[in-house]
Amino acid sequence: MGVRANDAVGILRWVAALSLLVGVSGYILPGVKPTDYDLGEDVELKVNSLTSVHTQLPYDYYSLKFCKPLEGVESYSENLGELLSGDRIENSPYELNILENVNCRVLCQVSLSARESTQFKSAIKRGYHHNWMIDNLPASSIITGPDEEVRMDSTGFPVGYETKDALGATTGHYIYNHVNIFIDYHELDEGADLVYRIVGFTTEPFSIAHKTVSSDPWDGKGNPPAIATCSAASSISYEDVKAAQPVPNAGPLMFSYSVSWRPSSVRWASRWDVYLNVDEEIAQDRVHWLSITNSIMVVLFLASMVGMILYRTLRGEISHYNALPTDEDMADEREETGWKLVHADVFRPPSDMPMAFCVCVGSGVQIFFCSFMGLFFAAFGYVSPVQRGSIMVTALLLFVLMGFFSGYTSAYLYKTFKGKEWQRCTTMTALAFPSLCFFVFALLNILLKGYGSTEAVPFLTLISIIALWFGISVPMTFLGAFMAYKREPLEFPVVTSNIPRQIPTQKWYMTPFVTCALGGCLPFGACFVELYFVMSSIWMGQYYLFFGFLFVVFLILAVTCAEVAIVMAYFQLCAEDYHWWWRSFCVAGSAAGYVMLYSFKYFFDLQSSMAVTYALYFGYMGVISVGLFLMTGAIGFLAAIGLNLAIYSAVKVD
């Protein structure tokens, strides 16, 4: 989906994004061109899927017996990204008009069956939330519980709440059947007329056991009767609620709402500020900025120090080796240092699975370019969470297009290894990682279908994904491989001997397990703080708009992986171990292992006891970790081979 914004908004986006990259307080301006409303104009309130962070299973809004529009439920156009994300946006029966306040208006009355009552109780128990939106702005909420504690929520408002006794046993299920809707607007003078822009959308839900003024029961048809439990003269508050509305085992249930329009000085470009400050885990926006800045500065400092030490050490050693010997003893001394002794073996192709190595490096390069381009576009505001589904669509399209780089890299490396089965290598590159992703996605999609979740994508959507895969990604991979095979293979600066050199026994701290475990610490530390916010966005439904910071952290992660791989490869060669190909890949890629371990800790925050949630969470986190392993591993390998080409090109080998 393209961004349709006027020039001023476009320029502001670039300036705001640039301010992120240089550390200025501010963030990107999400959204597209603002909508101007006239006085009294209709404003449509839309509903999205019901969601819960405890189950990760979104359901259609009207799967529970809420009030439906009289003209029927209408679904809005959905792009591929919305379908994959489980979004199902529909109309609602709520009537809103610009600057027209409404107090305690009856929406409808529904009659619940025993089965429908059980569905409501189950949704309340599992923490399902309403997700409303007005003018593409999601509803934040003010929730006052039975204990009179007030909290803010940026992900809609719950269907209801439970009451428990002293032992923690559930004693009742209560539904939020009344909502105070607060809409903040900004007034603009456009020539002779005033226009209004919506800059805030807040809901305040209540559970009210409604009673009508008339003693006669209402059958839910015709004009609603007057309500005795709230006043049409003012908006209801928590103190006005005399009795909460339990979910009836069967029978009538009345819904009502109020609407209050509030003038605001907030500009349209800043209307998303509230969604960055209401998360209880973040506490304050400043914590995010300081944590990210501290992480970036520490990693940059360490990377600079490592690079400086490595450069100074290698420069001294290379100068020493290239110096002409003055006697026989000096000549013998030149041949005693570790990394020069393995010059005839350092570029020997890996003995273990060389084709698999080429496939892994090619897939990692594809993921790197996809991530780099996607974050670049997001940092400068070309895609954002406001444009629903745009991030998912952008990531999918970039991934299939970047197949060119995966095919090129794997084929060029395989040709350098003097491999003969280039067709098989290219086919494996085009199918290996995408097949893993599609297999996990299809398997989880079957589970979602069984649960009736809206996150289960339709069959035609699966066909579309397969068409993108085999129609774009596979041809692009083969095109890249074709271009690579037309080039001459990489020429190494030293000649590889016919007989492999024996590797001496390594110290315990130079074993593959220890070096990989140590190598992943620093890259993981570079992205740890930002990882928390990203995972909160994915699994806790929080809104993430700091793509400028994320782009910088991504670059820092890449630099850190390269630095770690270079240092570990240097130490390994000094220990006369020339099996650095897979080692350099795994040393940098081990950061993904720490991410997966962290995901186990994070899972406890979801507080889920459903088996399907375990499958969804660890299935998707497993795929993400594999992708991160391939990407960081490819970065580490490319850095290590760059080091080896540099140092062995600089020394004189007899």
Side-chain angles (χ1 to χ4, degrees):
M1 181 186 297
V3 178
R4 300 183 301 273
N6 55 32
D7 293 339
V9 173
I11 293 173
L12 186 55
R13 281 185 179 174
W14 280 82
V15 173
L18 184 60
S19 69
L20 266 183
L21 298 179
V22 298
V24 179
S25 179
Y27 56 88
I28 65 170
L29 172 63
V32 293
K33 184 177 180 179
T35 302
D36 295 333
Y37 293 93
D38 296 324
L39 183 65
E41 184 176 349
D42 293 341
V43 177
E44 190 169 16
L45 190 154
K46 303 175 184 177
V47 295
N48 202 344
S49 301
L50 298 168
T51 58
S52 171
V53 298
H54 304 303
T55 67
Q56 302 299 322
L57 293 173
Y59 287 101
D60 183 82
Y61 185 81
Y62 294 110
S63 61
L64 296 181
K65 198 169 184 179
F66 293 117
C67 301
K68 295 184 178 180
L70 296 178
E71 64 275 14
V73 177
E74 176 185 353
S75 297
Y76 294 90
S77 59
E78 297 167 322
N79 57 44
L80 182 60
E82 289 177 310
L83 290 172
L84 294 175
S85 303
D87 288 339
R88 298 295 185 271
I89 301 175
E90 298 166 316
N91 59 335
S92 74
Y94 293 88
E95 297 180 3
L96 293 82
N97 300 91
I98 294 292
L99 268 62
E100 292 184 7
N101 293 333
V102 173
N103 293 316
C104 203
R105 175 181 291 177
V106 175
L107 185 64
C108 78
Q109 179 174 277
V110 298
S111 180
L112 300 183
S113 64
R115 178 175 175 273
E116 292 164 341
S117 174
T118 301
Q119 290 176 336
F120 268 108
K121 292 178 181 178
S122 177
I124 293 171
K125 179 180 179 181
R126 293 174 176 172
Y128 274 89
H129 277 58
H130 296 264
N131 293 287
W132 293 358
M133 64 187 72
I134 291 177
D135 191 32
N136 210 30
L137 193 66
S140 61
S141 59
I142 306 172
I143 301 174
T144 307
D147 53 3
E148 298 189 15
E149 290 185 358
V150 179
R151 66 182 178 89
M152 293 288 294
D153 199 331
S154 63
T155 55
F157 63 92
V159 173
Y161 63 91
E162 290 182 312
T163 55
K164 299 180 181 295
D165 59 18
L167 299 178
T170 301
T171 57
H173 298 84
Y174 295 86
I175 188 171
Y176 287 125
N177 61 329
H178 177 89
V179 182
N180 286 342
I181 300 173
F182 301 101
I183 305 177
D184 300 329
Y185 66 92
H186 186 76
E187 186 178 286
L188 293 174
D189 188 357
E190 297 289 343
D193 300 322
L194 291 176
V195 295
Y196 305 90
R197 292 179 180 175
I198 295 176
V199 296
F201 177 27
T202 307
T203 57
E204 185 180 19
F206 293 102
S207 179
I208 306 175
H210 279 308
K211 294 182 180 180
T212 59
V213 174
S214 173
S215 59
D216 297 330
W218 181 43
D219 59 2
K221 300 179 181 179
N223 294 326
I227 303 176
T229 44
C230 61
S231 171
S234 61
S235 180
I236 195 170
S237 63
Y238 185 78
E239 291 74 18
D240 299 327
V241 179
K242 304 303 180 184
Q245 174 63 61
V247 177
N249 294 326
L253 177 61
M254 184 180 295
F255 292 88
S256 60
Y257 70 101
S258 300
V259 181
S260 298
W261 293 85
R262 305 181 301 191
S264 174
S265 60
V266 175
R267 294 283 182 174
W268 183 89
S270 302
R271 65 179 188 164
W272 277 78
D273 288 14
V274 63
Y275 301 98
L276 304 178
N277 296 314
V278 298
D279 185 6
E280 294 179 357
E281 300 295 331
I282 299 177
Q284 288 184 356
D285 179 54
R286 182 176 300 176
V287 174
H288 179 96
W289 287 83
L290 293 178
S291 298
I292 297 299
T293 304
N294 179 70
S295 176
I296 292 173
M297 295 303 296
V298 169
V299 172
L300 280 175
F301 174 76
L302 292 176
S304 300
M305 291 296 295
V306 169
M308 182 180 66
I309 294 172
L310 192 60
Y311 172 74
R312 291 174 64 88
T313 301
L314 283 177
R315 186 176 64 173
E317 291 184 0
I318 290 173
S319 300
H320 175 71
Y321 290 141
N322 289 340
L324 293 176
T326 57
D327 52 36
E328 184 177 353
D329 293 336
M330 185 176 293
D332 293 337
E333 183 182 352
R334 283 179 49 184
E335 299 294 334
E336 291 178 355
T337 302
W339 64 267
K340 189 171 183 292
L341 288 176
V342 297
H343 67 85
D345 299 275
V346 68
F347 293 111
R348 188 183 305 279
S351 57
D352 297 329
M353 302 180 293
M355 182 183 294
F357 181 78
C358 298
V359 171
C360 289
V361 173
S363 299
V365 169
Q366 179 182 11
I367 297 171
F368 172 80
F369 278 106
C370 172
S371 303
F372 178 86
M373 296 300 296
L375 290 175
F376 178 83
F377 290 141
F380 286 94
Y382 289 107
V383 292
S384 74
V386 176
Q387 300 164 296
R388 295 184 178 274
S390 63
I391 293 179
M392 185 75 71
V393 171
T394 301
L396 189 60
L397 290 178
L398 284 175
F399 181 80
V400 297
L401 290 174
M402 297 303 114
F404 174 87
F405 295 100
S406 67
Y408 185 92
T409 304
S410 64
Y412 188 63
L413 191 59
Y414 190 66
K415 187 177 182 179
T416 301
F417 290 164
K418 296 180 173 59
K420 303 300 181 182
E421 300 178 283
W422 70 271
Q423 296 95 336
R424 183 184 174 193
C425 179
T426 305
T427 302
M428 290 293 295
T429 305
L431 300 181
F433 180 68
S435 295
L436 172 66
C437 297
F438 186 81
F439 174 77
V440 173
F441 177 76
L443 185 62
L444 295 179
N445 196 62
I446 294 174
L447 290 176
L448 293 169
K449 283 275 189 186
Y451 281 86
S453 172
T454 57
E455 196 170 358
V457 301
F459 178 74
L460 291 179
T461 304
L462 289 176
I463 298 299
S464 301
I465 295 175
I466 295 174
L468 286 172
W469 180 8
F470 287 94
I472 300 179
S473 182
V474 173
M476 292 295 291
T477 304
F478 274 86
L479 176 62
F482 174 76
M483 298 294 291
Y485 269 97
K486 292 183 66 176
R487 288 192 56 185
E488 292 296 324
L490 181 64
E491 293 186 4
F492 297 125
V494 292
V495 178
T496 301
S497 64
N498 295 326
I499 302 175
R501 180 185 178 88
Q502 184 176 0
I503 300 175
T505 303
Q506 300 293 300
K507 301 290 186 180
W508 67 268
Y509 51 82
M510 289 304 298
T511 58
F513 177 80
V514 175
T515 54
C516 290
L518 294 175
C521 290
L522 193 56
F524 176 73
C527 65
F528 171 74
V529 175
E530 204 68 20
L531 177 65
Y532 168 79
F533 293 103
V534 173
M535 292 189 68
S536 296
S537 175
I538 296 174
W539 300 111
M540 302 294 285
Q542 303 298 332
Y543 291 97
Y544 187 90
L545 297 176
F546 291 95
F547 290 103
F549 269 128
L550 187 59
F551 182 61
V552 172
V553 171
F554 174 80
L555 297 179
I556 294 299
L557 173 65
V559 171
T560 308
C561 288
E563 291 283 349
V564 167
I566 288 173
V567 172
M568 290 299 182
Y570 173 69
F571 289 155
Q572 184 179 353
L573 294 177
C574 287
E576 301 179 25
D577 183 357
Y578 52 84
H579 292 160
W580 60 272
W581 301 86
W582 276 110
R583 182 81 67 88
S584 63
F585 190 95
C586 294
V587 162
S590 62
Y594 287 94
V595 172
M596 192 64 195
L597 289 175
Y598 175 74
S599 70
F600 281 88
K601 181 267 176 188
Y602 191 89
F603 182 75
F604 292 105
D605 295 338
L606 301 181
Q607 300 177 354
S608 177
S609 59
M610 297 181 64
V612 65
T613 308
Y614 282 78
L616 289 171
Y617 180 85
F618 289 107
Y620 286 130
M621 284 305 303
V623 171
I624 292 173
S625 297
V626 171
L628 183 62
F629 171 75
L630 294 174
M631 183 188 73
T632 54
I635 295 171
F637 160 71
L638 294 175
I641 195 173
L643 168 74
N644 292 339
L645 290 173
I647 63 176
Y648 287 99
S649 298
V651 297
K652 298 176 182 178
V653 179
D654 296 333

